[in-house]
Amino acid sequence: MSSVAVLTQETFNAHRSGLLPEQGGGEYLDIRLYAAVAGPSAGEDEEALPTYKEAFPPLPEKAAQPEGTQETSSAWASKIRPLKSSIITQVFHVPLEERKYKDINQFGEGDQAKVCVDIMHKTGAHLELSLAKDQGLSIMVSGKLDAVMKARKEIVSRLQTQASASVGIPKEHHRFVIGKNGEKLQELELKTATKIQIPRPDDLSNQIKISGTKEGLEKAKHEILLISAEQDKRAVERVNIEKAYHPFITGAYNKLVGEMMQETGARINVPPQSVNKTEIVITGEKEQVALAVTKIKKVYEDKKKNTTTIAVEVKKSQHKYVIGPKGNTLQEILDRTGVSVEIPPSDSSSETVILRGEPDRLGQALTEVYAKANSYTVSSVSAPSWLHRFIIGKKGQNLAKITQQMPKVHIEFTEGEDKITLEGPIKDVQMVQGQIEAMVTDLVSRMDYAEISVDPKFHRHLIGKGGVNINRIKEVHKVTVRIPPDNEKSNLIRIEGDPQGVQEAKKELLELASRMENERTKDLIIEQRFHRAIIGQKGEKIKEVRDKFPEVIINFPDPAQKSDIVQLRGPRTEVEKCSKFMNKIVAEMVENSYSVSVPIFKQFHRNIIGKGGSNIKKIREETNTKIDLPAENSNSEMIVITGKKANCEAARTRILAIQKDLVGTHFSMIIIPLSGSSCISVGKRLEQRPYQTKSHTVELHAKPEYHKFLIGKGGGNIRKVRDSTGARIIFPTPEDKDQELITVVGTEEAVRDAQKELEELIKSLDNVVEDTMNVDPKHHRYFVARRGQVLRDLADEYGGVMVSFPRTASQSDKVTLKGAKECVEAAKKRMQEIVEDLEAQVTMECVIPQKFHRSIMGPKGSRIQQITRDHNVQIKFPEREDPQAAPPAEAPVQENGEADGEVKEPVDPNAPKKCDVIIISGRKERCEAAIEALKALVPVTIEVEVPFELHRYIIGQKGSGIRKMMEDFEVNIQVPAPEQQSDKIAITGLASLLDRAKEGLLERVKELQAEQEDRALRSFKLTITVDPKYHPKIIGRKGAIITNIRTEHDVNIQFPEKNDENQDQITITGYEHKAIAARDAIQAIVDELEEMISEDITLDSRVHARIIGARGKGIRKIMDEFKVDLRFPQSGAADPNLVTVTGRPELVDEAIDHLLNLEEEYMADVVENEAKMAYMRPSGSSAAAADEQRGPSKGFVVREAPWATANEKAPDMSSSEDFPSFGAPVATKASPWGPKRF
């Protein structure tokens, strides 16, 4: 017997020709392998069969051969074209901790760069390095595949230091390595200092990758294998128990199953009643699991033997009352009677309820079932739908009163229906029905509604800006007006309220709509420069216009548009009136915008303004004009007057009159053509005035050093000339080119007189004389000190007079002065005054402790400089005493009253220290005044009582608070050290500043005490107990709900940490009344959540994706519409069709109905698509059909197959050894197929 594959020569040739790419249109064959038994009765000659190598030619051993060599005689060589190598790019990342070279400063150079260059030379690949933000190394390698792979090997071996390994454990043990919330995995990584990567649940691999040091790798592998070994000891047992007996195993409220778990230590998982599964899963140690299985089977067999059933009919609508909220009623019956009540599914039309239990208990259970079924009733109250919101009341106030009294009654309002549905206990429903009927009767008697039709384009005008129109109608007529939103495109407006108010509001709205239909729009052309003036500051002026014409809407263009069009819209007559009024305003603005500029000499501007602005204010008020003067630092002399033309001329005349009075010069208007010269003011000098007719100008020249003498001290000399002649004399500014030019301006006579006086002064200055005076040599030093500063000042002040002092060695008192006669006389007089001051100088001592000297000097000596200038004295501070200097040695013992030949005076203990004495030089009266000024600068210290606990708040963060106070009050504030526990704060500073600083400090203390009291009030704590399962719902999506509560009530809400003992405690901190309000808000959410139920339904998994929709859009819409929560099963779930719906009972029922309807609709499409696919044939099916028509084929038969020559069987397609899965470890073994290439 031999195992061969049957293949005819014709089919073999056809098969071989099918490999040619050019023959794409040939007939395809269905070739099948099978094992045939060949014997003497075989009809075909075995020798004619092709060999295995002919049928399946082997691949060439080498990918390429040198040129000129003969190709291998292989059947593949002529059929398959060689593939050309392509360039590929790969990126490798080396984390910082695994980098061998970590010198960041040498990135791009050093050993790391040399290694990369070497790798490029060796492999021929191209490397690009980049440094990530985390200092990890990213290497992009480009080149041929083999070059890239070689480069990668070099990178790992030469640039990376970390090692990695993997360990394989069963997939189901991975979750024990991760632990709860990943805690076990984090602990393991921390313990072993490694990085552990566990494959995702959808990854079939069981290999856990570990990276880190070699020591850490071994430790991590050991720990993981220990965890896996521990889990191998545990057992899992699945017991099939009829669904009907599950309640007896769990017991009422899961008491029995809880006791079993406590006794055995095993975990027992019983599927809920809504899940149609009979399998109970027990996990734990093997002994514990066996004990639990025994107990469960014992309960099951006992109940199966001793229980019986009865079936009763209960209306479908009453089933939910038998079930109760969250199935509590069923549990209650089971607890009391030991009888299980089986309710048919909600999607079933059956009304049969089955009771299962011991015969003597069934009667009691039946009584309770009927009692519960009949304890609730459904009733309805007729009420027009438009009255529903009045019955509910504002924020549900009216309804809340009823529901608080009768909490078991459920009241349902259906939009668009004229009825209210009541559901609950019979007596409660009757009472609520009576109350609601009374409310409906009362509302119908005193309420009415009306509907009017208005074009939607007028709706926003009816509402008004900010709802002003519609709110006024609501308040006046005490009605509610519902205007449909723009997206509805409805023209129906509904008015509800008091019958009379409804009619009046209807009438007013119709009038408004009628007026709008007759309104018109008008465009006014108003220059944009007037827009801001018409609007006024903060819109005050335009508000007056709008108040005057309330029915007209005035729209100004955006300033960026630079448009002059102002739009008016409203009733025709009102628009016309408003248009005339605004044109009148614009005309007045145009009239008042006349402007004229008046040139006034710069030095007279302050005279025009007057003391405290009295002159300019008077002119403005009396002429009703706006007068703008140039800034003080501006060179402009123009004063701009704006207003009506006549008023501007009057103001101009008055300003010119003031200037005329000041200079005695007559001014008149000068008209200068554009082509002619202009009247240009440069600095303080008029350069050209060729067209000026009634003013006279003369120019004089004098040396610049004479200018100060001509002006005189404080302008005394030049003022005499101006007062005597009335002319204006202008000296050049430092910027003028001609520094010798002096300009005289005024009337012809005044200019002539001033010119004469100035020429005489200049002539006398040109007459150089030499004079001498006697100055005591002891005073010479004062004049020549500081590089002759006093002499330079004299030369500048007195026309450049030269003063020469004799040499120091000559002891002469003769001083020579040379210059203009008047200058010499004036300088001589001034020097005599200085000598007299020096003769009268005294030196006085002021004793002030050295510790206050720095404070007296002030910043950079500013205070001392000020005293020196004010009192014209010299002040010298002593050298600072060195605190570390050794005290003077004791004097030697005196013998016969002598010590080293000298008699020393005894030291006065009351004498001041040298370091405390300040020397003041100057005239006696000035020195005394300076001493008083110095003593006034001595800082004083006071203490302020401030509670110790407030000190840190006064100091502030990093001392910012106390620094600010010291800067504001210009004092020094000293806070005692914390260990002193003192309540005294010291303030040191000038006596005049201490009171203000003390008041500021006490004011700050009051603020801090108020803040303390507020913090105490805000620190009120309240604890509320809430089941942890409700915590996520209270927090909301991304914390939206809890954030809203925190913001609304201004409180802090703290949920328990994971490791807290009291997981059900929520802490609220804030003001007491706000904390209570927040607690009530949370309790309201909890109450609502407790009313919710969860129901499981079966939806075909093929329609889940369609129900969920793109990015969850469909499921979100359903959840928002029905106010429920939907949970779809995850991939790999035990029951892929199970969907959980959570919400209020009535909403859950509606949502389930909707989902079932969607399932029915979508399943029709699924079935239709599957039916279509059934008629679609895969490629090659026609050939298979032809084969079947030809009869049974002998298959594909070859000789000398590997499995035949080795006396082995054909490879098993289902064997994991012959056909291993990717990633699974397989033991290496010899195979007739040749060596395995992986």
Side-chain angles (χ1 to χ4, degrees):
M1 284 174 53
S2 62
S3 178
V4 296
V6 180
L7 176 68
T8 63
Q9 190 65 45
E10 292 79 16
T11 55
F12 177 73
N13 292 334
H15 167 62
R16 291 290 299 273
S17 63
L19 294 172
L20 291 172
E22 294 84 355
Q23 298 175 358
E27 184 182 358
Y28 292 96
L29 299 175
D30 184 11
I31 304 171
R32 300 172 184 171
L33 282 169
Y34 73 99
V37 178
S41 60
E44 297 184 32
D45 188 0
E46 192 172 297
E47 295 297 327
L49 296 177
T51 64
Y52 181 86
K53 284 188 178 180
E54 291 176 16
F56 301 101
L59 291 171
E61 291 297 326
K62 295 181 181 178
Q65 291 183 352
E67 292 181 7
T69 58
Q70 189 177 358
E71 291 185 3
T72 308
S73 57
S74 169
W76 294 100
S78 60
K79 306 298 180 183
I80 301 176
R81 296 176 182 176
L83 294 174
K84 293 181 180 179
S85 61
S86 59
I87 301 297
I88 65 165
T89 301
Q90 288 190 9
V91 178
F92 307 112
H93 183 71
V94 181
L96 176 63
E97 63 272 11
E98 297 183 15
R99 286 176 55 190
K100 186 174 287 186
Y101 305 102
K102 296 186 180 179
D103 190 353
I104 297 167
N105 296 325
Q106 289 192 348
F107 181 73
E109 56 184 83
D111 295 336
Q112 187 170 261
K114 290 176 183 176
V115 168
C116 292
V117 171
D118 187 41
I119 292 171
M120 286 195 285
H121 285 314
K122 273 188 178 181
T123 62
H126 178 69
L127 271 66
E128 290 186 15
L129 276 73
S130 62
L131 202 61
K133 287 183 180 179
D134 61 356
Q135 302 303 324
L137 197 63
S138 292
I139 306 162
M140 186 171 73
V141 186
S142 303
K144 293 184 178 180
L145 179 61
D146 57 340
V148 170
M149 300 323 308
K150 288 177 184 177
R152 178 184 179 183
K153 183 180 178 182
E154 291 287 330
I155 289 166
V156 171
S157 63
R158 299 176 67 179
L159 295 180
Q160 195 169 351
T161 60
Q162 287 286 311
S164 62
S166 62
V167 58
I169 64 171
K171 189 78 174 174
E172 58 269 19
H173 294 176
H174 285 192
R175 62 191 183 92
F176 298 104
V177 177
I178 297 170
K180 188 178 181 182
N181 298 324
E183 291 174 359
K184 183 68 176 177
L185 181 62
Q186 291 173 7
E187 181 188 344
L188 200 57
E189 288 183 336
L190 194 63
K191 186 177 176 182
T192 61
T194 57
K195 177 69 177 174
I196 301 172
Q197 294 180 349
I198 296 177
R200 297 174 61 84
D202 52 359
D203 188 353
L204 298 177
S205 173
N206 64 351
Q207 296 293 317
I208 297 177
K209 295 179 181 177
I210 312 164
S211 59
T213 62
K214 290 183 179 179
E215 184 182 354
L217 291 178
E218 294 301 324
K219 193 183 291 185
K221 284 172 71 174
H222 177 69
E223 292 291 336
I224 291 169
L225 291 172
L226 276 180
I227 293 169
S228 179
E230 185 180 343
Q231 294 307 317
D232 282 335
K233 296 177 184 178
R234 298 180 66 81
V236 178
E237 188 76 29
R238 290 174 171 80
V239 182
N240 280 313
I241 303 292
E242 291 179 48
K243 189 72 178 175
Y245 293 97
H246 284 193
F248 299 113
I249 292 167
T250 58
Y253 306 107
N254 290 325
K255 288 180 184 176
L256 187 56
V257 75
E259 289 171 2
M260 283 187 194
M261 287 195 285
Q262 195 169 0
E263 287 176 14
T264 62
R267 182 181 178 82
I268 303 171
N269 184 14
V270 181
Q273 288 295 315
S274 54
V275 178
N276 191 21
K277 287 177 69 177
T278 60
E279 190 176 68
I280 297 175
V281 181
I282 305 104
T283 57
E285 298 292 337
K286 293 181 180 179
E287 296 81 5
Q288 297 172 346
V289 169
L291 182 60
V293 170
T294 305
K295 285 182 173 289
I296 290 169
K297 287 183 176 179
K298 183 180 179 183
V299 172
Y300 168 60
E301 290 167 1
D302 181 53
K303 292 297 179 183
K304 191 172 184 181
K305 182 179 178 182
N306 298 325
T307 58
T308 184
T309 61
I310 59 169
V312 295
E313 296 295 321
V314 177
K315 290 182 181 178
K316 191 74 177 177
S317 60
Q318 294 177 327
H319 284 189
K320 57 184 175 182
Y321 307 135
V322 177
I323 297 169
K326 299 181 182 178
N328 279 343
T329 304
L330 294 178
Q331 297 295 326
E332 187 182 333
I333 294 171
L334 180 61
D335 189 30
R336 287 182 185 174
T337 65
V339 174
S340 167
V341 181
E342 299 170 18
I343 307 292
S346 56
D347 55 352
S348 170
S349 58
S350 172
E351 295 185 344
T352 303
V353 175
I354 299 172
L355 282 71
R356 187 183 304 274
E358 295 179 6
D360 56 338
R361 299 286 188 91
L362 289 174
Q364 182 187 349
L366 182 60
T367 304
E368 291 200 18
V369 166
Y370 277 123
K372 293 293 182 183
N374 296 320
S375 63
Y376 281 74
T377 185
V378 177
S379 181
S380 63
V381 178
S382 296
S385 59
W386 64 273
L387 283 179
H388 286 185
R389 60 192 190 85
F390 296 104
I391 295 169
I392 295 168
K394 190 176 182 181
K395 294 184 179 179
Q397 288 178 353
N398 297 344
L399 212 57
K401 293 176 184 176
I402 298 172
T403 53
Q404 283 172 2
Q405 295 173 358
M406 307 293 177
K408 293 184 179 179
V409 177
H410 174 66
I411 306 171
E412 184 178 347
F413 294 83
T414 307
E415 190 175 355
E417 292 187 10
D418 294 339
K419 69 172 184 177
I420 302 167
T421 306
L422 310 177
E423 184 179 339
I426 297 171
K427 290 183 179 179
D428 291 358
V429 166
Q430 289 173 352
M431 290 181 68
V432 172
Q433 185 174 356
Q435 291 180 20
I436 292 178
E437 284 175 348
M439 289 173 68
V440 171
T441 305
D442 176 56
L443 288 169
V444 168
S445 64
R446 59 184 179 84
M447 299 285 284
D448 196 5
Y449 77 96
E451 292 180 345
I452 59 173
S453 181
V454 177
D455 195 317
K457 68 181 179 182
F458 298 130
H459 287 183
R460 63 191 184 95
H461 304 303
L462 289 177
I463 295 168
K465 189 174 182 180
V468 64
N469 294 346
I470 203 69
N471 288 338
R472 181 184 57 78
I473 292 171
K474 288 178 180 178
E475 289 173 10
V476 171
H477 303 297
K478 307 297 180 189
V479 295
T480 302
V481 183
R482 185 189 180 279
I483 298 176
D486 294 339
N487 56 358
E488 286 187 14
K489 295 182 180 178
S490 171
N491 59 355
L492 206 63
I493 296 176
R494 188 181 181 93
I495 311 162
E496 298 169 352
D498 179 74
Q500 185 180 352
V502 167
Q503 295 305 318
E504 291 174 357
K506 178 182 177 181
K507 182 180 177 184
E508 187 171 346
L509 284 169
L510 288 172
E511 287 176 0
L512 277 172
S514 173
R515 252 185 288 166
M516 285 169 193
E517 289 175 354
N518 298 324
E519 74 173 11
R520 65 162 293 191
T521 301
K522 184 174 183 179
D523 292 339
L524 293 181
I525 307 299
I526 300 173
E527 290 183 57
Q528 194 182 30
R529 63 191 177 103
F530 295 126
H531 289 186
R532 183 176 290 180
I534 294 170
I535 294 168
Q537 190 175 10
K538 295 182 180 179
E540 290 175 356
K541 292 186 177 178
I542 197 64
K543 187 175 183 296
E544 292 174 6
V545 178
R546 284 175 173 149
D547 292 342
K548 191 170 184 178
F549 303 99
E551 296 179 0
V552 179
I553 298 171
I554 306 169
N555 290 324
F556 284 85
D558 191 330
Q561 295 177 358
K562 297 183 178 179
S563 172
D564 296 337
I565 298 173
V566 178
Q567 191 181 72
L568 308 180
R569 188 176 69 250
R572 189 182 299 272
T573 54
E574 290 296 309
V575 167
E576 291 298 329
K577 288 179 186 177
C578 184
S579 174
K580 288 178 183 177
F581 183 77
M582 291 193 68
N583 283 328
K584 185 179 176 183
I585 292 173
V586 173
E588 287 178 2
M589 286 184 174
V590 171
E591 187 180 358
N592 290 329
S593 64
Y594 178 79
S595 178
V596 63
S597 298
V598 185
I600 300 294
F601 295 123
K602 190 77 175 180
Q603 63 265 36
F604 297 146
H605 284 193
R606 58 194 181 92
N607 302 94
I608 301 291
I609 296 168
K611 189 174 182 180
S614 58
N615 291 351
I616 197 74
K617 187 177 180 182
K618 187 177 180 182
I619 296 170
R620 283 170 177 161
E621 289 175 354
E622 292 180 359
T623 61
N624 194 23
T625 56
K626 181 185 177 185
I627 303 173
D628 295 320
L629 286 88
E632 287 184 11
N633 56 0
S634 169
N635 290 328
S636 174
E637 295 183 342
M638 290 295 179
I639 295 177
V640 181
I641 307 169
T642 309
K644 292 183 179 179
K645 187 174 181 181
N647 295 343
C648 289
E649 292 297 332
R652 177 177 174 276
T653 304
R654 293 184 62 169
I655 291 171
L656 289 173
I658 292 172
Q659 180 174 252
K660 181 181 178 183
D661 293 341
L662 290 169
V663 299
T665 306
H666 178 70
F667 288 87
S668 63
M669 190 70 181
I670 303 170
I671 300 172
I672 303 174
L674 292 173
S675 60
S677 300
S678 61
C679 181
I680 304 169
S681 173
V682 179
K684 294 185 179 179
R685 180 167 57 81
L686 298 176
E687 289 187 337
Q688 290 184 329
R689 298 180 183 267
Y691 295 103
Q692 192 168 344
T693 57
K694 293 188 179 182
S695 66
H696 196 67
T697 304
V698 169
E699 294 178 348
L700 300 173
H701 287 80
K703 294 178 181 178
E705 55 265 25
Y706 293 167
H707 289 186
K708 286 190 178 181
F709 182 77
L710 292 173
I711 295 168
K713 190 174 182 179
N717 295 346
I718 204 68
R719 195 180 296 114
K720 287 178 185 177
V721 177
R722 283 175 177 169
D723 292 344
S724 62
T725 63
R728 182 181 179 215
I729 302 165
I730 303 171
F731 286 86
T733 63
E735 292 82 17
D736 289 337
K737 292 182 181 178
D738 192 349
Q739 291 291 312
E740 295 185 355
L741 187 64
I742 301 172
T743 306
V744 185
V745 182
T747 61
E748 187 175 355
E749 183 181 355
V751 168
R752 189 168 56 249
D753 294 344
Q755 181 184 5
K756 186 178 178 181
E757 287 192 30
L758 287 171
E759 284 176 344
E760 288 176 358
L761 283 170
I762 294 168
K763 187 176 180 181
S764 64
L765 290 172
D766 286 337
N767 184 16
V768 178
V769 297
E770 187 174 321
D771 197 358
T772 59
M773 64 179 293
N774 295 323
V775 177
D776 194 322
K778 68 180 180 181
H779 300 313
H780 289 189
R781 183 177 177 80
Y782 174 80
F783 287 97
V784 298
R786 294 177 294 164
R787 297 183 181 179
Q789 181 63 42
V790 176
L791 296 180
R792 285 201 300 273
D793 293 342
L794 287 169
D796 290 342
E797 191 172 350
Y798 299 105
V801 67
M802 294 176 61
V803 183
S804 300
F805 280 82
R807 293 184 179 276
T808 309
S810 64
Q811 294 296 317
S812 172
D813 62 351
K814 189 177 180 180
V815 178
T816 305
L817 294 87
K818 188 176 181 181
K821 187 177 180 181
E822 287 79 2
C823 294
V824 169
E825 290 297 329
K828 188 176 179 181
K829 185 180 178 182
R830 174 63 185 143
M831 287 180 69
Q832 286 171 347
E833 289 175 359
I834 292 170
V835 170
E836 287 176 7
D837 283 346
L838 292 172
E839 293 286 352
Q841 265 193 359
V842 297
T843 299
M844 301 182 74
E845 293 182 350
C846 177
V847 179
I848 296 174
Q850 188 185 32
K851 63 181 180 180
F852 299 130
H853 288 186
R854 181 173 291 182
S855 175
I856 291 170
M857 288 180 187
K860 297 182 180 179
S862 59
R863 291 176 181 170
I864 288 302
Q865 292 168 11
Q866 186 66 37
I867 293 173
T868 304
R869 285 194 297 270
D870 293 346
H871 301 286
N872 194 18
V873 294
Q874 298 294 324
I875 302 174
K876 185 176 184 304
F877 280 81
E879 294 293 330
R880 291 183 64 82
E881 184 182 36
D882 187 0
Q884 297 180 351
E890 291 185 5
V893 178
Q894 297 182 7
E895 294 181 6
N896 300 324
E898 294 181 358
D900 296 335
E902 290 185 12
V903 178
K904 295 188 177 180
E905 294 290 334
V907 178
D908 184 3
N910 297 322
K913 293 180 181 179
K914 287 184 180 181
C915 62
D916 296 340
V917 178
I918 301 171
I919 308 298
I920 304 162
S921 303
R923 285 181 175 269
K924 185 178 179 182
E925 62 275 9
R926 291 175 181 170
C927 288
E928 289 172 350
I931 289 171
E932 292 299 322
L934 285 171
K935 288 182 177 179
L937 293 176
V938 176
V940 182
T941 300
I942 62 171
E943 289 185 341
V944 182
E945 191 88 19
V946 176
F948 172 72
E949 61 270 13
L950 297 180
H951 287 190
R952 63 194 182 96
Y953 301 111
I954 288 171
I955 293 170
Q957 190 174 14
K958 296 183 179 178
S960 59
I962 201 165
R963 271 200 305 275
K964 186 175 185 303
M965 291 180 72
M966 290 196 291
E967 289 170 5
D968 292 347
F969 301 119
E970 298 180 16
V971 295
N972 181 45
I973 301 174
Q974 187 67 36
V975 179
E979 56 268 13
Q980 294 179 11
Q981 298 281 317
S982 173
D983 291 341
K984 303 286 186 181
I985 290 182
I987 306 175
T988 304
L990 301 180
S992 57
L993 301 174
L994 288 179
D995 291 340
R996 182 163 155 265
K998 182 179 179 180
E999 289 176 8
L1001 181 58
L1002 293 175
E1003 188 65 31
R1004 177 64 180 150
V1005 169
K1006 287 181 183 177
E1007 290 177 7
L1008 291 171
Q1009 286 173 340
E1011 288 176 10
Q1012 264 192 336
E1013 292 173 5
D1014 184 64
R1015 275 198 298 273
L1017 291 173
R1018 287 181 68 94
S1019 61
F1020 176 79
K1021 281 193 177 182
L1022 195 66
T1023 303
I1024 180 174
T1025 302
V1026 177
D1027 194 320
K1029 67 182 179 182
Y1030 297 136
H1031 289 189
K1033 293 289 183 182
I1034 295 170
I1035 294 168
R1037 189 176 182 183
K1038 295 183 180 178
I1041 296 173
I1042 202 68
T1043 301
N1044 188 31
I1045 295 172
R1046 282 173 177 151
T1047 306
E1048 184 179 349
H1049 300 288
D1050 189 23
V1051 294
N1052 181 34
I1053 302 172
Q1054 191 69 35
F1055 284 83
E1057 296 291 337
K1058 290 180 182 177
N1059 299 325
D1060 283 357
E1061 293 181 4
N1062 301 322
Q1063 284 292 310
D1064 57 351
Q1065 300 292 322
I1066 299 176
T1067 305
I1068 307 169
T1069 309
Y1071 293 113
E1072 184 175 359
H1073 64 285
K1074 292 187 175 181
I1076 292 169
R1079 179 196 65 188
D1080 295 343
I1082 293 173
Q1083 190 60 50
I1085 295 171
V1086 173
D1087 293 343
E1088 186 177 342
L1089 291 171
E1090 285 179 342
E1091 292 179 5
M1092 292 184 179
I1093 63 167
S1094 291
E1095 284 196 22
D1096 294 333
I1097 60 169
T1098 302
L1099 291 181
D1100 197 300
S1101 58
R1102 290 174 290 179
V1103 301
H1104 287 190
R1106 244 185 116 179
I1107 292 173
I1108 293 169
R1111 296 184 179 178
K1113 189 176 180 182
I1115 194 172
R1116 278 199 300 274
K1117 184 180 178 184
I1118 296 170
M1119 289 163 71
D1120 292 341
E1121 183 179 349
F1122 294 99
K1123 303 291 185 296
V1124 295
D1125 185 51
L1126 298 180
R1127 288 287 178 269
F1128 283 79
Q1130 294 183 350
S1131 58
D1135 188 353
N1137 301 324
L1138 192 68
V1139 178
T1140 305
V1141 187
T1142 306
R1144 297 176 68 88
E1146 63 279 4
L1147 298 175
V1148 168
D1149 292 342
E1150 292 177 7
I1152 289 173
D1153 291 341
H1154 181 71
L1155 288 170
L1156 293 173
N1157 290 337
L1158 287 177
E1159 181 194 28
E1160 186 178 349
E1161 179 185 343
Y1162 296 157
M1163 278 304 296
D1165 296 340
V1166 171
V1167 172
E1168 184 180 348
N1169 289 336
E1170 288 178 350
K1172 286 180 181 177
M1173 292 299 293
Y1175 290 99
M1176 295 179 67
R1177 283 183 151 168
S1179 59
S1181 59
S1182 57
D1187 256 1
E1188 289 175 6
Q1189 291 176 4
R1190 287 195 296 266
S1193 172
K1194 294 183 179 179
F1196 183 68
V1197 182
V1198 294
R1199 293 181 293 110
E1200 301 177 7
W1203 58 84
T1205 56
N1207 294 323
E1208 293 186 14
K1209 62 180 181 179
D1212 185 3
M1213 300 289 286
S1214 62
S1215 170
S1216 61
E1217 286 188 357
D1218 292 334
F1219 295 95
S1221 301
F1222 285 109
V1226 180
T1228 306
K1229 69 171 189 174
S1231 171
W1233 297 84
K1236 294 186 178 181
R1237 295 169 181 165
F1238 292 105

